[in-house]
Amino acid sequence: MNRALFSEYRSMYSSDREHPTVIRIRIRMRDLIDPDCMREAVDTTMARYPYFCVALEKDEENHWIYTDNDRPVVISRSLSGVELNSEASHYHLIAFSWQDNWIIMDVSHAMTDGTGAYEIVRTFLYYYCSRRYHAAVSAEGVRLAGEEIKAEEWDDPMRMATALPAPPRVDYPATINPIAAAHLEEDTARTVYSIAVDEKEFMRFNIENDGSPATMIALLLSRAFARLYPDREDVIRVTLALNQRGALGVPAAHQSLVGGVFLEYKDAMKDWPLERQATAYRGMVFAQTRDEVVLAGVASMKGINQMLMSKATDQERLGITNAIGEMTSRIVTATVSYVGKAGFRDSEDYIRDFRLWTSGAGSSLLLEVSAVGGRFTIDFIQPFSSPVYVNAFLAELEEQAIRYDLQDVMPLDLPNVRLPWTE
């Protein structure tokens, strides 16, 4: 069965070899990986998600379509994985890999977002841990093979959305460019700093200061920039990734449905107590997460995808997405993305570490926050290796007496998605 793409267009045309739009989930298990158990778990999991078992093609009108792909989803023995949408991945846009006690899942960000990726991982962990440990793992909240798959999971809500509010025209003043501000133009080694904090301790800190995990992390990062650049002329603007499913009324949709909430650190805020600053940020979040505001964002994204589809060539579409990327770099200092508590339940007993990586937008920073196994892991993803911003952020944690563990520093290794412009 062929299915036309729609919400995927912008993310797909944003992908290149230097910045592939791929979600990579890295899970370090308690014990060495059993490849037989993994093969069975992947096959059973993918039977539950047929809309991810597809190949990417173009129709006669140069529009992208999905076609059914019956070849097995690839499992490779490596930490690098395989190129997606290639022979190495059996032309799937999802693949798994493993080495020692690490499991890795790669999936095209055009297909889904962190919320959708968590659903796949939740199912996979249920099947893998059940067999690997001969354990009675709870199936509560897990999508299981053999159950009815509702139309809501398949259908693209952005494409079907009608009567959306008109997106407002807003001229945002320029934001601090992390690369230019720190003179890092020659430092192009994309890097991930992984920071872990105790979940209970950090939640207690949030409650005491009228914050929430993502909002507080955004605030601490904003304060770090404010201290680094006290005489700045450009603004500090951090975006919170926003799940649009609630406003669209489609909680089970699998597509990538991510909007954004802009949090701007005002000069007047620097002398306020932390709690008052957090309250101000939460007020900004509240104002921008009302359904009509979120749906206006959906309308904007829908318009972009319609414009991309109207173009006759890949080069025209690339020109539009490149211009959007340049604009994003001008108005966003950093993005904080937090899907929410993972809810892997019993499977978390067998997990030692959990990371989520993807490419940030342009020159901005990206902080991917995961809550698994009793701690928050903040993957601080940046398009350079310098620790200038990480160190400033860690100094904010230290000032608030938040204990942390800098677990490791690694190159940002994401597989390519083979597309005509990335070959």
Coordinates of all heavy atoms in Angstrom, one line a residue, residues 199-260:
E199 N 17.1 12.2 39.8 CA 15.8 12.6 39.5 C 15.0 13.2 40.7 O 14.4 14.3 40.6 CB 15.0 11.4 38.9 CG 13.5 11.8 38.5 CD 12.7 10.6 38.0 OE1 13.3 9.5 37.9 OE2 11.5 10.8 37.7
K200 N 15.1 12.5 41.8 CA 14.4 13.0 43.0 C 14.9 14.3 43.5 O 14.2 15.2 43.8 CB 14.5 12.0 44.1 CG 13.6 10.7 43.9 CD 13.7 9.8 45.0 CE 12.8 8.5 44.8 NZ 12.9 7.6 45.9
E201 N 16.3 14.4 43.4 CA 16.9 15.7 43.9 C 16.5 16.8 43.0 O 16.2 17.9 43.4 CB 18.4 15.5 43.9 CG 19.2 16.7 44.4 CD 20.6 16.5 44.5 OE1 21.1 15.3 44.6 OE2 21.4 17.5 44.5
F202 N 16.6 16.6 41.7 CA 16.3 17.7 40.7 C 14.8 18.0 40.8 O 14.4 19.2 40.7 CB 16.7 17.3 39.3 CG 16.7 18.4 38.4 CD1 17.4 19.6 38.6 CD2 15.9 18.4 37.2 CE1 17.4 20.6 37.7 CE2 15.9 19.4 36.3 CZ 16.6 20.5 36.5
M203 N 13.9 17.1 40.9 CA 12.5 17.4 41.0 C 12.2 18.2 42.3 O 11.4 19.1 42.3 CB 11.7 16.1 41.0 CG 11.6 15.4 39.6 SD 11.0 16.5 38.3 CE 9.4 16.9 38.9
R204 N 12.9 17.8 43.4 CA 12.7 18.6 44.6 C 13.1 20.1 44.4 O 12.5 21.0 44.8 CB 13.5 18.0 45.8 CG 13.3 18.7 47.1 CD 13.8 17.8 48.3 NE 15.2 17.5 48.1 CZ 15.7 16.3 47.8 NH1 14.8 15.3 47.7 NH2 17.0 16.0 47.7
F205 N 14.2 20.2 43.7 CA 14.7 21.6 43.4 C 13.7 22.3 42.5 O 13.5 23.5 42.8 CB 16.1 21.5 42.7 CG 16.6 22.8 42.1 CD1 17.1 23.7 42.9 CD2 16.5 23.0 40.7 CE1 17.6 24.9 42.3 CE2 16.9 24.2 40.2 CZ 17.5 25.1 41.0
N206 N 13.1 21.6 41.6 CA 12.1 22.3 40.7 C 10.9 22.7 41.5 O 10.4 23.9 41.4 CB 11.7 21.3 39.6 CG 12.6 21.3 38.4 OD1 12.6 22.2 37.6 ND2 13.5 20.3 38.4
I207 N 10.4 21.9 42.4 CA 9.2 22.2 43.2 C 9.5 23.4 44.1 O 8.7 24.3 44.2 CB 8.8 20.9 44.0 CG1 8.3 19.9 43.0 CG2 7.7 21.3 45.0 CD1 8.1 18.5 43.7
E208 N 10.7 23.4 44.7 CA 11.0 24.5 45.6 C 11.1 25.8 44.9 O 11.0 26.9 45.5 CB 12.3 24.2 46.3 CG 12.3 23.0 47.3 CD 13.6 22.6 47.8 OE1 14.6 23.1 47.3 OE2 13.7 21.8 48.7
N209 N 11.4 25.8 43.6 CA 11.6 27.0 42.8 C 10.6 27.3 41.7 O 10.8 28.1 40.8 CB 13.0 27.0 42.2 CG 14.1 27.1 43.3 OD1 14.4 28.2 43.8 ND2 14.7 26.0 43.6
D210 N 9.4 26.6 41.9 CA 8.3 26.9 40.9 C 8.7 26.6 39.5 O 8.3 27.2 38.5 CB 7.8 28.3 41.0 CG 6.5 28.5 40.3 OD1 5.7 27.5 40.3 OD2 6.2 29.6 39.7
G211 N 9.5 25.5 39.3 CA 10.0 25.1 38.0 C 9.5 23.8 37.6 O 8.9 23.0 38.3
S212 N 9.8 23.4 36.3 CA 9.6 22.1 35.8 C 10.9 21.7 35.1 O 11.7 22.5 34.8 CB 8.4 22.0 34.8 OG 8.7 22.9 33.7
P213 N 11.1 20.4 34.9 CA 12.5 20.0 34.4 C 13.0 20.7 33.2 O 14.0 21.3 33.2 CB 12.3 18.5 34.1 CG 11.2 18.0 35.1 CD 10.3 19.2 35.2
A214 N 12.2 20.8 32.1 CA 12.6 21.4 30.9 C 12.7 22.9 31.1 O 13.7 23.5 30.6 CB 11.7 21.1 29.7
T215 N 11.8 23.5 31.7 CA 11.8 25.0 31.9 C 13.0 25.4 32.8 O 13.6 26.4 32.5 CB 10.5 25.4 32.6 OG1 9.4 24.9 31.8 CG2 10.4 26.9 32.7
M216 N 13.3 24.6 33.8 CA 14.4 25.0 34.7 C 15.7 24.8 34.0 O 16.6 25.6 34.1 CB 14.3 24.1 36.0 CG 15.4 24.5 37.0 SD 15.2 26.3 37.6 CE 13.8 26.1 38.7
I217 N 15.8 23.8 33.2 CA 17.1 23.6 32.4 C 17.3 24.7 31.5 O 18.4 25.3 31.3 CB 17.1 22.2 31.7 CG1 17.2 21.1 32.8 CG2 18.2 22.1 30.7 CD1 17.0 19.7 32.2
A218 N 16.2 25.1 30.8 CA 16.3 26.3 29.9 C 16.6 27.5 30.6 O 17.4 28.4 30.1 CB 14.9 26.5 29.2
L219 N 16.1 27.7 31.8 CA 16.4 28.9 32.6 C 17.9 28.9 33.1 O 18.6 29.9 33.0 CB 15.5 29.0 33.8 CG 15.8 30.1 34.8 CD1 15.8 31.5 34.2 CD2 14.9 30.1 36.0
L220 N 18.4 27.8 33.6 CA 19.8 27.7 34.0 C 20.7 27.9 32.8 O 21.8 28.6 33.0 CB 20.1 26.3 34.6 CG 19.3 26.1 35.9 CD1 19.6 24.6 36.4 CD2 19.7 27.1 37.0
L221 N 20.4 27.4 31.6 CA 21.2 27.7 30.4 C 21.1 29.2 30.1 O 22.2 29.8 29.7 CB 20.7 26.8 29.3 CG 21.5 27.0 28.0 CD1 22.9 26.5 28.2 CD2 20.8 26.2 26.9
S222 N 20.0 29.8 30.2 CA 19.8 31.2 29.9 C 20.7 32.0 30.8 O 21.4 33.0 30.4 CB 18.4 31.6 30.0 OG 17.6 30.9 29.1
R223 N 20.7 31.7 32.1 CA 21.5 32.4 33.1 C 23.0 32.2 32.8 O 23.8 33.2 33.0 CB 21.2 31.9 34.5 CG 19.8 32.3 35.0 CD 19.4 31.4 36.2 NE 20.3 31.4 37.3 CZ 20.2 32.2 38.4 NH1 19.3 33.1 38.5 NH2 21.1 32.1 39.3
A224 N 23.4 31.1 32.3 CA 24.8 30.8 31.9 C 25.2 31.8 30.8 O 26.3 32.4 30.9 CB 25.0 29.4 31.5
F225 N 24.3 31.9 29.8 CA 24.6 32.9 28.7 C 24.7 34.3 29.2 O 25.5 35.1 28.8 CB 23.6 32.7 27.6 CG 24.0 31.7 26.5 CD1 23.6 30.4 26.7 CD2 24.7 32.1 25.4 CE1 23.9 29.5 25.7 CE2 25.0 31.2 24.4 CZ 24.6 29.9 24.6
A226 N 23.8 34.6 30.1 CA 23.7 36.0 30.6 C 25.0 36.4 31.4 O 25.5 37.5 31.3 CB 22.5 36.2 31.5
R227 N 25.6 35.4 32.1 CA 26.8 35.7 32.8 C 28.0 35.7 31.9 O 29.0 36.4 32.1 CB 27.0 34.6 33.9 CG 26.0 34.7 35.0 CD 26.3 33.9 36.2 NE 25.2 34.0 37.2 CZ 25.3 33.5 38.4 NH1 26.4 32.8 38.8 NH2 24.3 33.6 39.3
L228 N 28.0 34.9 30.8 CA 29.1 34.9 29.9 C 29.1 36.2 29.1 O 30.2 36.7 28.8 CB 28.9 33.7 28.9 CG 29.4 32.3 29.4 CD1 29.0 31.3 28.4 CD2 30.9 32.3 29.7
Y229 N 28.0 36.7 28.8 CA 27.9 37.9 28.0 C 27.0 39.0 28.6 O 25.9 39.3 28.2 CB 27.3 37.5 26.6 CG 28.0 36.4 25.9 CD1 27.4 35.2 25.8 CD2 29.3 36.6 25.5 CE1 28.1 34.1 25.2 CE2 30.0 35.5 24.9 CZ 29.4 34.3 24.7 OH 30.1 33.3 24.2
P230 N 27.6 39.6 29.7 CA 26.8 40.6 30.4 C 26.6 41.9 29.6 O 25.6 42.6 29.8 CB 27.7 40.9 31.6 CG 29.1 40.5 31.2 CD 28.9 39.4 30.3
D231 N 27.4 42.2 28.6 CA 27.3 43.4 27.8 C 26.7 43.1 26.4 O 26.9 43.8 25.5 CB 28.6 44.1 27.6 CG 29.2 44.5 29.0 OD1 28.5 44.9 29.8 OD2 30.5 44.3 29.1
R232 N 25.9 42.0 26.3 CA 25.4 41.6 25.0 C 24.4 42.6 24.5 O 23.8 43.3 25.2 CB 24.7 40.2 25.2 CG 23.5 40.3 26.1 CD 22.9 39.0 26.6 NE 21.8 39.2 27.5 CZ 22.0 39.3 28.8 NH1 23.2 39.4 29.3 NH2 20.9 39.5 29.6
E233 N 24.3 42.6 23.1 CA 23.3 43.4 22.4 C 22.2 42.5 21.9 O 21.0 42.9 22.0 CB 24.0 44.1 21.3 CG 25.0 45.2 21.7 CD 25.5 45.9 20.5 OE1 25.1 45.7 19.4 OE2 26.4 46.8 20.7
D234 N 22.6 41.3 21.5 CA 21.5 40.3 21.1 C 20.9 39.7 22.3 O 21.4 39.6 23.3 CB 22.2 39.3 20.2 CG 22.7 39.9 18.9 OD1 22.1 40.9 18.4 OD2 23.6 39.3 18.3
V235 N 19.7 39.1 22.0 CA 18.9 38.6 23.1 C 19.3 37.1 23.3 O 20.0 36.5 22.5 CB 17.4 38.6 22.8 CG1 16.9 40.0 22.6 CG2 17.0 37.7 21.6
I236 N 18.9 36.6 24.5 CA 19.1 35.2 24.8 C 17.7 34.5 24.7 O 16.8 34.9 25.4 CB 19.6 35.0 26.2 CG1 21.0 35.6 26.4 CG2 19.7 33.5 26.6 CD1 21.4 35.7 27.8
R237 N 17.6 33.6 23.7 CA 16.3 33.0 23.5 C 16.4 31.5 23.4 O 17.1 31.0 22.5 CB 15.6 33.5 22.2 CG 14.2 33.1 21.9 CD 13.6 33.6 20.7 NE 13.5 35.1 20.7 CZ 14.3 35.9 19.9 NH1 15.1 35.4 19.1 NH2 14.1 37.2 20.0
V238 N 15.8 30.8 24.3 CA 15.9 29.3 24.3 C 14.5 28.8 23.9 O 13.5 29.3 24.4 CB 16.3 28.8 25.7 CG1 16.2 27.2 25.7 CG2 17.7 29.3 26.1
T239 N 14.5 27.8 23.1 CA 13.2 27.2 22.6 C 13.0 25.9 23.4 O 13.9 25.1 23.5 CB 13.2 26.9 21.1 OG1 13.4 28.1 20.4 CG2 11.9 26.3 20.7
L240 N 11.8 25.7 23.9 CA 11.4 24.4 24.4 C 10.6 23.6 23.3 O 9.7 24.1 22.7 CB 10.4 24.5 25.6 CG 11.0 25.1 26.9 CD1 9.9 24.9 28.0 CD2 12.3 24.3 27.3
A241 N 11.1 22.4 23.0 CA 10.3 21.6 22.0 C 8.9 21.2 22.6 O 8.8 20.9 23.8 CB 11.1 20.3 21.7
L242 N 7.9 21.3 21.8 CA 6.5 21.2 22.2 C 5.8 20.1 21.4 O 5.8 20.1 20.2 CB 5.8 22.5 22.0 CG 4.3 22.5 22.3 CD1 4.0 22.3 23.8 CD2 3.7 23.8 21.9
N243 N 5.3 19.1 22.1 CA 4.5 18.1 21.5 C 3.1 18.6 21.1 O 2.4 19.1 22.0 CB 4.3 16.9 22.6 CG 3.6 15.7 22.0 OD1 3.0 15.8 20.9 ND2 3.6 14.6 22.7
Q244 N 2.8 18.6 19.8 CA 1.6 19.2 19.3 C 0.4 18.2 19.4 O -0.7 18.6 19.0 CB 1.8 19.7 17.9 CG 2.8 20.8 17.8 CD 3.2 21.1 16.3 OE1 3.2 20.2 15.5 NE2 3.5 22.3 16.0
R245 N 0.6 17.0 19.8 CA -0.5 16.0 19.7 C -1.7 16.4 20.5 O -2.8 16.1 20.1 CB 0.1 14.6 20.2 CG 1.0 14.0 19.2 CD 1.7 12.8 19.8 NE 2.6 12.1 18.9 CZ 3.8 12.5 18.6 NH1 4.3 13.6 19.1 NH2 4.6 11.8 17.7
G246 N -1.5 17.0 21.7 CA -2.6 17.3 22.6 C -3.5 18.3 21.9 O -4.8 18.1 21.9
A247 N -3.0 19.4 21.4 CA -3.8 20.4 20.7 C -4.5 19.8 19.5 O -5.6 20.2 19.2 CB -2.9 21.6 20.3
L248 N -3.9 18.9 18.8 CA -4.5 18.3 17.6 C -5.5 17.2 18.0 O -6.2 16.7 17.1 CB -3.4 17.7 16.7 CG -2.6 18.7 15.9 CD1 -1.3 18.0 15.4 CD2 -3.4 19.3 14.8
G249 N -5.5 16.7 19.3 CA -6.4 15.7 19.7 C -6.0 14.3 19.2 O -6.9 13.5 18.9
V250 N -4.7 14.1 19.0 CA -4.2 12.8 18.4 C -3.1 12.2 19.2 O -2.0 12.1 18.8 CB -3.8 12.9 16.9 CG1 -5.0 13.2 16.0 CG2 -2.8 14.1 16.8
P251 N -3.3 11.8 20.4 CA -2.2 11.3 21.3 C -1.5 10.1 20.8 O -0.3 10.0 21.2 CB -3.0 11.0 22.6 CG -4.4 10.8 22.3 CD -4.6 11.7 21.1
A252 N -2.0 9.3 19.9 CA -1.4 8.1 19.4 C -0.7 8.3 18.1 O -0.1 7.3 17.6 CB -2.4 7.0 19.3
A253 N -0.7 9.5 17.5 CA -0.1 9.7 16.2 C 1.4 9.4 16.3 O 2.0 9.8 17.2 CB -0.4 11.1 15.7
H254 N 1.9 8.8 15.2 CA 3.3 8.5 15.2 C 4.2 9.5 14.5 O 5.4 9.4 14.6 CB 3.5 7.1 14.5 CG 3.5 7.2 13.0 ND1 2.4 7.0 12.2 CD2 4.5 7.4 12.1 CE1 2.7 7.2 10.9 NE2 4.0 7.4 10.8
Q255 N 3.6 10.5 13.8 CA 4.4 11.4 13.0 C 5.3 12.3 13.9 O 5.1 12.4 15.1 CB 3.5 12.2 12.1 CG 2.9 11.5 11.0 CD 1.7 10.7 11.4 OE1 1.2 10.8 12.5 NE2 1.1 10.0 10.4
S256 N 6.2 13.1 13.3 CA 6.9 14.1 14.0 C 6.1 15.3 14.1 O 5.8 16.0 13.1 CB 8.2 14.4 13.2 OG 9.0 15.3 13.9
L257 N 5.6 15.6 15.3 CA 4.7 16.7 15.6 C 5.3 17.6 16.7 O 4.9 17.5 17.9 CB 3.3 16.1 16.0 CG 2.6 15.3 14.9 CD1 1.5 14.5 15.5 CD2 2.2 16.2 13.8
V258 N 6.3 18.4 16.3 CA 7.0 19.2 17.3 C 6.9 20.6 17.0 O 7.3 21.0 15.8 CB 8.5 18.8 17.4 CG1 9.2 19.5 18.4 CG2 8.6 17.3 17.6
G259 N 6.4 21.4 17.9 CA 6.4 22.9 17.8 C 7.5 23.4 18.7 O 8.4 22.7 19.2
G260 N 7.3 24.7 19.1 CA 8.3 25.3 20.0 C 7.7 26.4 20.8 O 6.8 27.1 20.4

